[in-house]
Coordinates of all heavy atoms in Angstrom, one line a residue:
R266 N 147.8 35.6 111.8 CA 147.0 36.2 110.6 C 145.6 36.4 111.0 O 145.0 37.4 110.6 CB 147.2 35.2 109.5 CG 146.4 35.8 108.3 CD 146.6 35.0 107.1 NE 145.7 35.5 106.1 CZ 145.8 35.5 104.9 NH1 146.9 35.0 104.4 NH2 145.0 36.0 104.1
S267 N 145.0 35.6 111.7 CA 143.6 35.8 112.1 C 143.4 37.0 113.0 O 142.4 37.7 113.0 CB 143.1 34.5 112.9 OG 143.7 34.4 114.1
R268 N 144.5 37.3 113.8 CA 144.4 38.6 114.6 C 144.4 39.8 113.7 O 143.7 40.8 113.9 CB 145.6 38.6 115.6 CG 145.4 37.7 116.7 CD 146.4 38.0 117.8 NE 146.0 37.4 119.0 CZ 146.3 37.8 120.1 NH1 147.0 38.9 120.3 NH2 145.8 37.1 121.2
K269 N 145.3 39.8 112.7 CA 145.4 40.9 111.7 C 144.0 41.1 111.0 O 143.5 42.2 110.8 CB 146.5 40.7 110.7 CG 147.8 40.9 111.3 CD 148.8 40.8 110.2 CE 150.2 40.9 110.7 NZ 151.2 40.8 109.7
L270 N 143.4 40.0 110.6 CA 142.2 40.1 109.9 C 141.1 40.6 110.8 O 140.3 41.5 110.5 CB 141.8 38.7 109.4 CG 140.5 38.6 108.5 CD1 140.7 39.5 107.3 CD2 140.3 37.2 108.1
S271 N 141.0 40.1 112.1 CA 140.0 40.6 113.0 C 140.1 42.0 113.4 O 139.2 42.7 113.5 CB 140.0 39.7 114.2 OG 141.1 39.8 115.0
S272 N 141.4 42.5 113.5 CA 141.6 43.9 113.8 C 141.2 44.8 112.6 O 140.7 45.9 112.8 CB 143.1 44.2 114.2 OG 143.9 44.0 113.1
K273 N 141.4 44.3 111.4 CA 140.9 45.1 110.2 C 139.4 45.1 110.2 O 138.8 46.2 109.9 CB 141.4 44.5 108.9 CG 142.9 44.8 108.6 CD 143.3 44.2 107.3 CE 144.7 44.5 107.0 NZ 145.2 43.9 105.8
V274 N 138.8 44.0 110.6 CA 137.3 44.0 110.6 C 136.8 44.9 111.7 O 135.8 45.6 111.5 CB 136.8 42.5 110.8 CG1 135.3 42.5 111.0 CG2 137.2 41.7 109.6
E275 N 137.5 44.9 112.8 CA 137.0 45.8 113.9 C 137.2 47.3 113.5 O 136.4 48.1 113.9 CB 137.8 45.5 115.2 CG 137.4 44.2 115.8 CD 138.3 43.8 116.9 OE1 139.2 44.6 117.3 OE2 138.1 42.7 117.5
R276 N 138.3 47.6 112.8 CA 138.5 49.0 112.4 C 137.6 49.5 111.3 O 137.3 50.6 111.2 CB 140.0 49.1 111.9 CG 140.9 49.3 113.0 CD 142.3 49.7 112.5 NE 143.1 48.5 112.7 CZ 144.2 48.2 112.0 NH1 144.5 49.0 111.0 NH2 144.9 47.2 112.3
A277 N 137.0 48.5 110.5 CA 136.2 48.9 109.4 C 134.9 49.7 109.9 O 134.6 50.8 109.3 CB 135.8 47.7 108.6
P278 N 134.2 49.2 110.9 CA 133.0 50.0 111.4 C 133.5 51.4 111.9 O 132.8 52.4 111.7 CB 132.4 49.2 112.5 CG 132.9 47.8 112.2 CD 134.2 47.9 111.6
A279 N 134.6 51.5 112.6 CA 135.1 52.7 113.1 C 135.4 53.7 112.0 O 135.1 54.9 112.0 CB 136.3 52.5 114.0
T280 N 136.0 53.2 110.9 CA 136.3 54.0 109.7 C 135.0 54.5 109.1 O 134.9 55.6 108.7 CB 137.2 53.2 108.7 OG1 138.3 52.8 109.4 CG2 137.5 54.0 107.5
M281 N 134.1 53.6 109.0 CA 132.8 53.9 108.4 C 132.1 55.0 109.2 O 131.5 56.0 108.7 CB 131.9 52.7 108.2 CG 132.3 51.8 107.1 SD 131.4 50.3 107.1 CE 129.8 50.8 106.5
M282 N 132.2 54.9 110.5 CA 131.6 55.9 111.4 C 132.3 57.2 111.2 O 131.6 58.3 111.2 CB 131.7 55.4 112.9 CG 130.6 54.3 113.2 SD 130.7 53.8 114.9 CE 130.3 55.3 115.8
N283 N 133.6 57.2 111.1 CA 134.3 58.5 110.9 C 133.9 59.1 109.6 O 133.7 60.3 109.5 CB 135.8 58.2 111.0 CG 136.3 58.0 112.4 OD1 135.7 58.4 113.3 ND2 137.5 57.4 112.5
D284 N 133.8 58.3 108.6 CA 133.4 58.8 107.3 C 132.0 59.4 107.3 O 131.7 60.4 106.8 CB 133.4 57.7 106.2 CG 134.8 57.3 105.8 OD1 135.8 58.0 106.2 OD2 135.0 56.2 105.2
D285 N 131.1 58.7 108.0 CA 129.7 59.2 108.2 C 129.7 60.5 109.0 O 129.0 61.4 108.6 CB 128.8 58.2 108.9 CG 128.5 56.9 108.1 OD1 128.7 57.0 106.8 OD2 128.1 55.9 108.6
M286 N 130.5 60.5 110.0 CA 130.6 61.8 110.8 C 131.2 62.9 110.0 O 130.7 64.1 110.1 CB 131.5 61.6 112.1 CG 130.7 60.7 113.1 SD 131.7 60.2 114.5 CE 132.2 61.8 115.2
D287 N 132.2 62.6 109.2 CA 132.8 63.7 108.3 C 131.7 64.2 107.3 O 131.6 65.4 107.0 CB 134.0 63.1 107.5 CG 135.2 62.9 108.4 OD1 135.2 63.5 109.6 OD2 136.1 62.2 108.0
A288 N 130.9 63.2 106.8 CA 129.9 63.6 105.8 C 128.8 64.5 106.5 O 128.4 65.5 106.0 CB 129.2 62.4 105.2
V289 N 128.5 64.1 107.7 CA 127.5 64.9 108.5 C 128.0 66.3 108.8 O 127.3 67.3 108.7 CB 127.1 64.1 109.8 CG1 126.3 65.0 110.7 CG2 126.3 62.9 109.5
E290 N 129.3 66.3 109.2 CA 129.9 67.6 109.5 C 130.0 68.5 108.3 O 129.7 69.7 108.3 CB 131.3 67.4 110.1 CG 131.3 67.0 111.5 CD 132.8 66.8 112.1 OE1 133.7 67.5 111.6 OE2 132.9 65.9 112.9
A291 N 130.3 67.9 107.1 CA 130.4 68.6 105.9 C 129.0 69.2 105.5 O 128.8 70.3 105.1 CB 130.9 67.8 104.8
E292 N 128.0 68.3 105.7 CA 126.6 68.7 105.4 C 126.2 69.9 106.3 O 125.5 70.8 105.9 CB 125.7 67.5 105.6 CG 124.3 67.8 105.1 CD 123.4 66.6 105.2 OE1 123.8 65.5 104.8 OE2 122.2 66.7 105.6
N293 N 126.5 69.7 107.6 CA 126.2 70.8 108.6 C 126.9 72.1 108.2 O 126.3 73.2 108.4 CB 126.6 70.4 110.0 CG 125.7 69.3 110.6 OD1 124.6 69.1 110.1 ND2 126.1 68.6 111.6
Q294 N 128.1 72.0 107.8 CA 128.9 73.2 107.4 C 128.2 73.9 106.2 O 128.1 75.1 106.1 CB 130.3 72.8 107.0 CG 131.2 74.0 106.7 CD 131.4 74.9 107.8 OE1 131.4 74.6 109.0 NE2 131.7 76.2 107.5
V295 N 127.8 73.1 105.2 CA 127.1 73.6 104.1 C 125.8 74.3 104.5 O 125.5 75.4 104.0 CB 126.8 72.5 103.0 CG1 125.8 73.0 101.9 CG2 128.1 72.0 102.4
E296 N 125.0 73.6 105.4 CA 123.8 74.2 105.9 C 124.1 75.5 106.6 O 123.3 76.5 106.5 CB 123.1 73.2 106.8 CG 122.4 72.1 106.0 CD 121.6 71.1 107.0 OE1 121.4 71.5 108.2 OE2 121.3 70.0 106.5
L297 N 125.1 75.5 107.4 CA 125.5 76.7 108.2 C 125.8 77.9 107.2 O 125.4 79.0 107.4 CB 126.6 76.4 109.1 CG 127.1 77.6 110.0 CD1 125.9 78.1 110.9 CD2 128.3 77.2 110.8
E298 N 126.6 77.6 106.2 CA 127.0 78.6 105.2 C 125.7 79.1 104.5 O 125.6 80.3 104.3 CB 128.0 78.0 104.3 CG 129.4 77.8 104.8 CD 130.3 77.1 103.9 OE1 129.9 76.7 102.8 OE2 131.5 76.8 104.3
E299 N 124.8 78.2 104.2 CA 123.6 78.6 103.5 C 122.7 79.5 104.4 O 122.2 80.5 103.9 CB 122.8 77.4 103.0 CG 121.5 77.7 102.3 CD 121.7 78.3 100.9 OE1 122.8 78.4 100.4 OE2 120.7 78.8 100.4
K300 N 122.6 79.1 105.7 CA 121.8 79.9 106.6 C 122.5 81.3 106.8 O 121.8 82.3 106.8 CB 121.8 79.2 108.0 CG 120.8 78.1 108.0 CD 120.8 77.4 109.3 CE 119.9 76.2 109.4 NZ 119.9 75.5 110.7
T301 N 123.8 81.3 106.9 CA 124.5 82.6 107.0 C 124.3 83.5 105.8 O 124.0 84.7 105.9 CB 126.0 82.4 107.2 OG1 126.2 81.6 108.4 CG2 126.8 83.7 107.4
R302 N 124.4 82.9 104.6 CA 124.1 83.6 103.4 C 122.7 84.2 103.3 O 122.5 85.3 103.0 CB 124.4 82.7 102.2 CG 124.3 83.4 100.8 CD 124.4 82.5 99.6 NE 123.3 81.6 99.5 CZ 122.1 82.0 99.0 NH1 121.9 83.2 98.6 NH2 121.1 81.1 98.9
L303 N 121.7 83.4 103.7 CA 120.3 83.8 103.7 C 120.1 84.9 104.7 O 119.4 85.9 104.5 CB 119.4 82.6 104.0 CG 119.3 81.6 102.8 CD1 118.5 80.4 103.3 CD2 118.6 82.2 101.6
I304 N 120.7 84.8 105.9 CA 120.6 85.8 106.9 C 121.1 87.1 106.4 O 120.5 88.2 106.6 CB 121.2 85.4 108.3 CG1 120.4 84.3 108.9 CG2 121.4 86.6 109.2 CD1 121.1 83.6 110.1
N305 N 122.3 87.1 105.8 CA 122.9 88.3 105.3 C 122.0 88.9 104.2 O 121.9 90.1 104.1 CB 124.3 88.0 104.7 CG 125.3 87.7 105.8 OD1 125.1 88.2 107.0 ND2 126.4 87.0 105.5
Q306 N 121.4 88.0 103.3 CA 120.6 88.5 102.3 C 119.3 89.2 102.9 O 118.9 90.3 102.4 CB 120.2 87.4 101.4 CG 119.5 87.8 100.1 CD 119.2 86.6 99.2 OE1 119.2 85.4 99.6 NE2 119.0 86.9 97.9
V307 N 118.8 88.6 103.9 CA 117.6 89.2 104.5 C 117.9 90.6 105.2 O 117.2 91.5 105.0 CB 117.0 88.2 105.6 CG1 116.0 88.9 106.6 CG2 116.4 87.0 105.0
L308 N 119.1 90.6 105.8 CA 119.5 91.9 106.4 C 119.7 93.0 105.4 O 119.3 94.1 105.5 CB 120.8 91.7 107.3 CG 120.6 90.9 108.5 CD1 122.0 90.6 109.2 CD2 119.7 91.6 109.5
E309 N 120.3 92.6 104.3 CA 120.5 93.5 103.2 C 119.2 94.0 102.6 O 119.0 95.2 102.3 CB 121.3 92.9 102.0 CG 121.7 93.8 100.9 CD 122.5 93.1 99.8 OE1 123.2 92.1 100.1 OE2 122.5 93.6 98.7
L310 N 118.2 93.1 102.4 CA 116.9 93.5 102.0 C 116.2 94.4 103.0 O 115.5 95.3 102.6 CB 116.1 92.2 101.7 CG 116.5 91.4 100.4 CD1 115.8 90.1 100.4 CD2 116.3 92.2 99.2
Q311 N 116.4 94.1 104.3 CA 115.8 95.0 105.3 C 116.3 96.4 105.2 O 115.6 97.4 105.3 CB 116.0 94.4 106.7 CG 115.1 93.3 107.0 CD 115.4 92.7 108.4 OE1 116.5 92.9 109.0 NE2 114.4 92.1 109.0
H312 N 117.6 96.5 105.0 CA 118.3 97.8 104.9 C 117.8 98.5 103.6 O 117.5 99.7 103.7 CB 119.8 97.7 104.9 CG 120.3 97.3 106.2 ND1 121.1 96.2 106.4 CD2 120.2 97.9 107.5 CE1 121.4 96.1 107.7 NE2 120.9 97.1 108.3
T313 N 117.7 97.8 102.6 CA 117.2 98.4 101.3 C 115.7 98.9 101.5 O 115.4 100.0 101.1 CB 117.2 97.3 100.2 OG1 118.6 96.9 100.0 CG2 116.7 97.9 98.9
L314 N 114.9 98.1 102.2 CA 113.5 98.5 102.4 C 113.5 99.7 103.3 O 112.7 100.6 103.0 CB 112.8 97.3 103.1 CG 111.3 97.6 103.4 CD1 110.5 97.9 102.2 CD2 110.7 96.4 104.1
E315 N 114.3 99.8 104.3 CA 114.4 101.0 105.2 C 114.7 102.2 104.4 O 114.2 103.3 104.5 CB 115.4 100.8 106.3 CG 114.9 99.8 107.4 CD 115.9 99.4 108.4 OE1 117.1 99.9 108.3 OE2 115.7 98.7 109.3
D316 N 115.7 102.1 103.5 CA 116.2 103.2 102.7 C 115.1 103.6 101.7 O 114.8 104.8 101.5 CB 117.4 102.8 101.8 CG 118.7 102.6 102.7 OD1 118.7 103.0 103.9 OD2 119.6 102.0 102.2
L317 N 114.4 102.7 101.1 CA 113.3 103.0 100.2 C 112.1 103.7 100.9 O 111.5 104.6 100.5 CB 112.8 101.8 99.5 CG 113.7 101.2 98.4 CD1 113.2 99.8 97.9 CD2 113.9 102.1 97.3
S318 N 111.8 103.2 102.1 CA 110.8 103.8 102.9 C 111.1 105.2 103.3 O 110.2 106.1 103.2 CB 110.6 102.9 104.2 OG 109.5 103.5 105.0
A319 N 112.4 105.4 103.7 CA 112.8 106.8 104.0 C 112.7 107.7 102.8 O 112.3 108.9 102.9 CB 114.2 106.8 104.6
R320 N 113.0 107.2 101.7 CA 113.0 107.9 100.4 C 111.5 108.3 100.1 O 111.2 109.4 99.6 CB 113.6 107.1 99.2 CG 113.6 107.8 97.9 CD 114.5 109.0 97.8 NE 114.4 109.5 96.5 CZ 114.2 110.8 96.2 NH1 114.1 111.7 97.2 NH2 114.1 111.3 95.0
V321 N 110.6 107.3 100.2 CA 109.2 107.6 100.0 C 108.7 108.7 100.9 O 108.0 109.6 100.4 CB 108.3 106.3 100.1 CG1 106.9 106.6 100.2 CG2 108.6 105.3 99.0
D322 N 109.0 108.6 102.2 CA 108.6 109.7 103.1 C 109.1 111.0 102.7 O 108.4 112.0 102.7 CB 109.1 109.3 104.5 CG 108.4 108.1 105.1 OD1 107.3 107.8 104.6 OD2 108.9 107.6 106.1
A323 N 110.4 111.1 102.2 CA 111.0 112.3 101.8 C 110.3 112.9 100.6 O 110.0 114.1 100.5 CB 112.5 112.2 101.5
V324 N 110.0 112.0 99.6 CA 109.3 112.4 98.4 C 107.9 112.9 98.8 O 107.4 113.9 98.2 CB 109.2 111.3 97.4 CG1 108.3 111.5 96.3 CG2 110.6 111.0 96.9
K325 N 107.2 112.2 99.7 CA 105.9 112.7 100.1 C 105.9 114.1 100.7 O 105.1 115.0 100.4 CB 105.3 111.7 101.1 CG 104.7 110.5 100.5 CD 104.1 109.6 101.6 CE 103.5 108.3 101.1 NZ 103.0 107.5 102.2
E326 N 106.9 114.3 101.6 CA 107.1 115.7 102.2 C 107.3 116.7 101.1 O 106.8 117.8 101.1 CB 108.2 115.7 103.2 CG 107.9 115.0 104.5 CD 109.0 115.0 105.5 OE1 109.8 116.0 105.5 OE2 109.2 114.0 106.2
E327 N 108.2 116.4 100.2 CA 108.6 117.3 99.1 C 107.3 117.6 98.2 O 107.1 118.7 97.8 CB 109.7 116.7 98.2 CG 110.2 117.6 97.1 CD 110.9 118.9 97.6 OE1 111.3 118.9 98.7 OE2 111.0 119.8 96.8
N328 N 106.5 116.6 98.0 CA 105.3 116.7 97.2 C 104.3 117.7 97.8 O 103.7 118.5 97.2 CB 104.7 115.3 96.9 CG 103.5 115.4 96.0 OD1 103.5 116.2 95.0 ND2 102.5 114.5 96.2
L329 N 104.1 117.5 99.1 CA 103.2 118.4 99.9 C 103.7 119.8 99.9 O 102.9 120.7 99.7 CB 103.1 117.9 101.3 CG 102.3 116.6 101.5 CD1 102.3 116.1 103.0 CD2 100.8 116.8 101.1
K330 N 105.0 120.0 100.0 CA 105.6 121.3 100.0 C 105.4 122.0 98.6 O 105.0 123.1 98.5 CB 107.1 121.2 100.3 CG 107.9 122.5 100.3 CD 109.3 122.3 100.6 CE 110.1 123.5 100.3 NZ 111.6 123.3 100.4
L331 N 105.6 121.2 97.6 CA 105.5 121.7 96.2 C 104.0 122.1 95.9 O 103.7 123.1 95.3 CB 106.0 120.8 95.2 CG 107.5 120.6 95.2 CD1 108.0 119.5 94.2 CD2 108.2 122.0 94.8
K332 N 103.1 121.2 96.4 CA 101.6 121.5 96.2 C 101.3 122.8 96.9 O 100.5 123.6 96.3 CB 100.8 120.4 96.8 CG 100.6 119.2 95.9 CD 99.7 118.2 96.5 CE 99.4 117.0 95.6 NZ 98.5 116.0 96.2
S333 N 101.8 123.0 98.1 CA 101.5 124.2 98.8 C 102.0 125.4 98.1 O 101.4 126.5 97.9 CB 102.1 124.1 100.2 OG 101.9 125.3 100.9
E334 N 103.3 125.3 97.6 CA 103.9 126.4 96.8 C 103.1 126.7 95.6 O 102.9 127.9 95.2 CB 105.3 126.1 96.5 CG 106.3 126.1 97.7 CD 107.7 125.7 97.4 OE1 108.0 125.6 96.2 OE2 108.5 125.6 98.3
N335 N 102.6 125.7 94.9 CA 101.8 125.8 93.7 C 100.5 126.5 94.0 O 100.1 127.4 93.2 CB 101.5 124.5 93.0 CG 102.8 124.0 92.2 OD1 103.7 124.7 91.9 ND2 102.7 122.7 91.9
Q336 N 99.9 126.2 95.1 CA 98.7 126.9 95.4 C 98.9 128.4 95.7 O 98.1 129.3 95.2 CB 98.0 126.3 96.7 CG 97.4 124.9 96.4 CD 96.8 124.3 97.7 OE1 97.2 124.7 98.8 NE2 96.0 123.3 97.5
V337 N 100.0 128.7 96.4 CA 100.3 130.1 96.7 C 100.6 130.8 95.3 O 100.1 131.9 95.1 CB 101.5 130.2 97.6 CG1 102.1 131.6 97.7 CG2 101.2 129.7 99.0
L338 N 101.4 130.2 94.5 CA 101.7 130.8 93.2 C 100.4 131.0 92.3 O 100.3 132.0 91.7 CB 102.7 130.0 92.4 CG 104.1 130.1 93.0 CD1 105.0 129.1 92.2 CD2 104.7 131.5 92.8
G339 N 99.6 130.0 92.3 CA 98.3 130.1 91.6 C 97.5 131.2 92.1 O 96.9 132.0 91.2
Q340 N 97.4 131.4 93.4 CA 96.6 132.5 93.9 C 97.2 133.8 93.6 O 96.5 134.8 93.2 CB 96.5 132.3 95.5 CG 95.6 133.3 96.1 CD 94.1 133.1 95.6 OE1 93.6 132.0 95.6 NE2 93.5 134.3 95.3
Y341 N 98.5 133.9 93.6 CA 99.2 135.1 93.3 C 99.0 135.5 91.8 O 98.7 136.7 91.5 CB 100.7 134.9 93.6 CG 101.6 136.1 93.2 CD1 101.6 137.3 93.9 CD2 102.4 136.0 92.1 CE1 102.4 138.3 93.6 CE2 103.2 137.1 91.7 CZ 103.2 138.3 92.5 OH 104.0 139.4 92.1
I342 N 99.1 134.5 90.9 CA 98.8 134.8 89.5 C 97.4 135.2 89.3 O 97.1 136.2 88.5 CB 99.2 133.5 88.7 CG1 100.7 133.3 88.6 CG2 98.6 133.6 87.2 CD1 101.1 132.0 88.1
E343 N 96.4 134.6 90.0 CA 95.0 135.0 89.8 C 94.8 136.4 90.3 O 94.2 137.2 89.6 CB 94.1 134.1 90.7 CG 93.7 132.8 90.0 CD 92.8 132.0 90.8 OE1 91.9 132.6 91.5 OE2 92.9 130.8 90.8
N344 N 95.5 136.8 91.4 CA 95.4 138.2 91.9 C 96.0 139.2 90.9 O 95.4 140.2 90.7 CB 96.1 138.3 93.3 CG 95.3 137.6 94.4 OD1 94.2 137.2 94.2 ND2 96.0 137.3 95.5
L345 N 97.1 138.8 90.3 CA 97.8 139.7 89.3 C 96.9 139.9 88.1 O 96.7 141.0 87.6 CB 99.1 139.1 88.9 CG 100.3 139.3 89.9 CD1 101.5 138.6 89.3 CD2 100.6 140.8 90.1
M346 N 96.3 138.8 87.7 CA 95.4 138.8 86.5 C 94.2 139.7 86.8 O 93.7 140.4 85.9 CB 95.0 137.4 86.0 CG 96.2 136.6 85.4 SD 95.8 134.9 85.1 CE 94.5 135.0 83.9
S347 N 93.6 139.5 87.9 CA 92.4 140.3 88.2 C 92.7 141.8 88.4 O 91.9 142.6 88.2 CB 91.7 139.7 89.5 OG 92.5 139.9 90.6
A348 N 93.9 142.1 88.8 CA 94.3 143.5 89.0 C 94.8 144.1 87.7 O 94.8 145.4 87.6 CB 95.4 143.6 90.1
S349 N 95.1 143.4 86.7 CA 95.6 143.9 85.5 C 94.5 144.2 84.5 O 93.6 143.4 84.3 CB 96.6 142.9 84.9 OG 97.0 143.3 83.6
S350 N 94.5 145.3 83.8 CA 93.5 145.6 82.8 C 93.6 144.8 81.6 O 92.6 144.6 80.9 CB 93.6 147.1 82.5 OG 94.9 147.4 81.9
V351 N 94.8 144.2 81.3 CA 94.9 143.4 80.2 C 94.1 142.1 80.3 O 93.5 141.7 79.2 CB 96.4 142.9 80.0 CG1 96.6 141.9 78.9 CG2 97.3 144.1 79.8
F352 N 93.8 141.6 81.4 CA 93.1 140.4 81.6 C 91.6 140.7 82.0 O 90.8 139.8 82.2 CB 93.7 139.5 82.6 CG 95.0 139.0 82.2 CD1 96.2 139.5 82.8 CD2 95.2 138.0 81.3 CE1 97.5 139.1 82.4 CE2 96.4 137.5 80.9 CZ 97.5 138.1 81.4
Q353 N 91.2 141.9 82.0 CA 89.8 142.3 82.4 C 88.9 141.9 81.2 O 89.3 142.1 80.1 CB 89.7 143.8 82.7 CG 90.4 144.2 84.0 CD 89.9 143.5 85.2 OE1 88.7 143.3 85.4 NE2 90.8 143.1 86.1
T354 N 87.7 141.5 81.5 CA 86.7 141.2 80.4 C 86.3 142.6 79.8 O 86.1 143.6 80.6 CB 85.6 140.5 81.0 OG1 84.9 141.2 82.0 CG2 85.9 139.1 81.5
T355 N 86.1 142.6 78.6 CA 85.7 143.8 77.9 C 84.2 143.7 77.6 O 83.7 142.7 77.2 CB 86.5 144.0 76.6 OG1 86.3 142.8 75.8 CG2 88.0 144.2 76.9
D356 N 83.6 144.9 77.6 CA 82.2 145.0 77.3 C 82.1 145.5 75.9 O 82.4 146.6 75.6 CB 81.5 145.9 78.3 CG 80.0 145.9 78.1 OD1 79.5 145.2 77.2 OD2 79.3 146.7 78.8
T357 N 81.7 144.7 74.9 CA 81.7 145.0 73.5 C 80.7 146.1 73.2 O 80.9 146.9 72.3 CB 81.4 143.8 72.6 OG1 80.2 143.2 73.0 CG2 82.6 142.8 72.7
K358 N 79.6 146.2 74.0 CA 78.6 147.2 73.7 C 79.1 148.6 74.0 O 78.8 149.5 73.3 CB 77.3 146.9 74.6 CG 76.5 145.7 74.2 CD 75.4 145.5 75.0 CE 74.6 144.2 74.7 NZ 73.6 143.9 75.6
S359 N 79.9 148.7 75.1 CA 80.4 150.1 75.4 C 81.4 150.5 74.4 O 81.6 151.7 74.2 CB 80.9 150.1 76.8 OG 82.0 149.2 76.9
K360 N 82.2 149.6 73.8 CA 83.2 150.0 72.8 C 82.5 150.5 71.5 O 83.0 151.4 70.9 CB 84.0 148.8 72.5 CG 85.1 148.5 73.4 CD 86.0 147.4 72.9 CE 87.2 147.2 73.9 NZ 88.1 146.2 73.4
R361 N 81.4 150.0 71.2 CA 80.7 150.4 69.9 C 80.2 151.8 70.0 O 80.1 152.6 69.1 CB 79.6 149.5 69.6 CG 80.1 148.1 69.1 CD 78.9 147.3 68.7 NE 79.4 145.9 68.4 CZ 78.6 144.9 68.3 NH1 77.3 144.9 68.5 NH2 79.1 143.7 68.0
K362 N 79.8 152.3 71.2 CA 79.2 153.6 71.4 C 80.3 154.6 71.4 O 80.9 155.3 71.0 CB 78.5 153.7 72.7 CG 77.2 152.9 72.7 CD 76.5 153.0 74.0 CE 75.3 152.2 74.0 NZ 74.5 152.3 75.2

């Protein structure tokens, strides 16, 4: 009986060590999953930022193009108005005579 008792006592620290190792492995697994999740989130945010940056560049280009077109149209309208008698300034003194 003393042999059975001593073998149980000897196995107890080994069991505790296995339990501790299992707990450490479980904790490491949780940390690894969390790191993986964070890495994936960072990568997704990077892709979103790249997409947004590309969109901003495209909008800037479109804005410059539209400004240029507006200037051309504005100049064209001014030229039409100056060439048209409808928009010419009238001299009220000459009309009275």
Side-chain angles (χ1 to χ4, degrees):
R266 180 176 171 146
S267 67
R268 282 190 168 212
K269 285 184 182 179
L270 184 60
S271 66
S272 66
K273 283 183 181 178
V274 171
E275 288 171 7
R276 276 191 250 152
T280 302
M281 288 174 68
M282 284 180 61
N283 285 340
D284 289 345
D285 290 343
M286 288 174 55
D287 289 344
V289 168
E290 285 181 30
E292 188 176 317
N293 287 343
Q294 183 65 26
V295 168
E296 285 180 15
L297 181 62
E298 289 172 2
E299 180 67 11
K300 285 179 184 178
T301 302
R302 187 185 68 77
L303 289 173
I304 288 170
N305 288 334
Q306 191 176 18
V307 166
L308 292 173
E309 184 179 335
L310 289 171
Q311 282 179 338
H312 290 120
T313 301
L314 180 60
E315 289 170 359
D316 292 344
L317 289 172
S318 180
R320 177 71 179 130
V321 165
D322 290 342
V324 167
K325 281 181 181 179
E326 285 181 36
E327 183 69 15
N328 187 35
L329 288 174
K330 180 181 168 187
L331 291 173
K332 277 185 180 180
S333 176
E334 288 177 8
N335 282 344
Q336 286 177 342
V337 169
L338 288 173
Q340 187 62 46
Y341 178 73
I342 290 169
E343 278 184 38
N344 291 342
L345 284 177
M346 289 173 61
S347 65
S349 172
S350 62
V351 174
F352 295 104
Q353 294 297 319
T354 58
T355 57
D356 188 3
T357 55
K358 291 179 184 175
S359 64
K360 280 187 173 180
R361 288 183 185 163
K362 288 182 181 182

